[in-house]
């Protein structure tokens, strides 16, 4: 990070790296410390002690791995004339729908980088773009024959941001009566790229086969309730049936709107300043090894009040 351009999120990244170092130290300490118990009880106690630190690494290691890949050579910059030429081609391709986005990320300069396929006269070129796609600030950094070559020549990605700093994707989840909807909400909470949100929205409105989404099922419920109300053969029942039928049709229109909104998300990534919180603001106090191992297999939750993403 000392060699990267200054950014407001570096302080948070440093806290996370220090947090990971603390967790790694504790993992080594627990592995090397004698438990004073025979196996397999000793292994079980050790696993329970290790759990918070292993969990922290599972949830936050992307920060370390992305930062470790920062310092590598990139492709030579284009001349001003060549950049202007390819930028004009990319803008024109975007307007006619021939610029297909493949991936997006942020660079160390806090600039949005996009990998896209540009189709021109039936031929396809992989281009690396800086700036929001389709905006006046968009410019071409390079053009290549293959995706791998383009990635190697592009500015490396910094860790993507998170929607909520306290979301913990590997933490045990309490059972819920709304499992399908809760799963989709959790998928959005854990998303860092628009693709995950896109799939969650499509799953919510999916009306095909066995895996129908919650919105079509709700529409079916309203239709069935309308039929029931109409079958009462009363004025009040008929009025309720009419209202329920209207609501079912409105949900059908809403389904189309959700699909359209999902497609309009495009390719995007959360900015890097949306950092997760460290797992350990202070060193957690480890419980003393019990004389008798715990009866249940459940692992303890991560200690401390701060949680990630």
């Amino acid at each position: 990070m000392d060699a990267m351009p200054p950014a407001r999120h570096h302080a948070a990244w440093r806290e996370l790296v220090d947090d990971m170092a603390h967790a790694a130290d504790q993992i080594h300490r627990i592995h090397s410390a004698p438990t004073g118990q025979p196996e397999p009880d000793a292994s079980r106690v050790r696993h329970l002690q290790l759990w918070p630190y292993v969990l922290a690494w599972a949830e936050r290691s992307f920060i370390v791995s992305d930062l470790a890949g920062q310092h590598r050579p990139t492709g030579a910059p284009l001349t001003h004339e060549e950049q202007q030429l390819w930028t004009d081609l990319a803008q024109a391709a975007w307007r006619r729908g021939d610029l297909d986005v493949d991936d997006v990320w942020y660079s160390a300069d806090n600039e949005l980088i996009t990998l896209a396929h540009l189709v021109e006269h039936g031929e396809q070129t992989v281009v690396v773009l800086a700036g929001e796609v389709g905006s006046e600030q968009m410019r071409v950094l390079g053009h290549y024959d293959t995706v791998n070559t383009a990635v190697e020549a592009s500015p490396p990605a910094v860790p993507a941001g998170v929607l909520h700093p306290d979301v913990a994707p590997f933490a045990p989840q309490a059972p819920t009566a709304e499992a399908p909807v809760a799963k989709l909400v959790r998928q959005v909470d854990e998303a860092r790229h628009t693709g995950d949100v896109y799939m969650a929205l499509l799953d919510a409105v999916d009306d095909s086969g066995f895996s129908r989404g919650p919105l079509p099922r709700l529409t079916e419920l309203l239709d069935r309730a309308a039929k029931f109300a109409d079958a009462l053969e009363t004025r009040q029942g008929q009025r309720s049936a009419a209202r329920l039928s209207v609501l079912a049709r409105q949900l059908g229109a809403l389904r189309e709107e959700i699909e359209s909104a999902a497609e309009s998300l495009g390719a995007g990534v959360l900015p890097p300043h949306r950092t997760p919180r460290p797992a350990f603001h202070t060193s957690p106090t480890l419980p003393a090894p019990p004389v008798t191992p715990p009866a249940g297999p459940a692992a303890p939750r991560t200690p401390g009040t701060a949680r990630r993403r």
Side-chain angles (χ1 to χ4, degrees), residues 258-279:
I258 292 175
E259 286 183 341
S260 176
E263 292 173 357
S264 69
L265 277 172
V269 59
L270 291 177
H273 65 81
R274 303 184 64 96
T275 56
R277 283 198 182 97

Side-chain angles (χ1 to χ4, degrees), residues 2 4 6 12 65 115 118 135 141 178 204 223 255 308:
D2 289 339
M4 296 168 66
S65 60
L115 193 72
L118 188 155
S135 70
L141 299 182
E178 296 180 321
D223 283 332
R255 176 177 176 270
R308 170 206 184 250

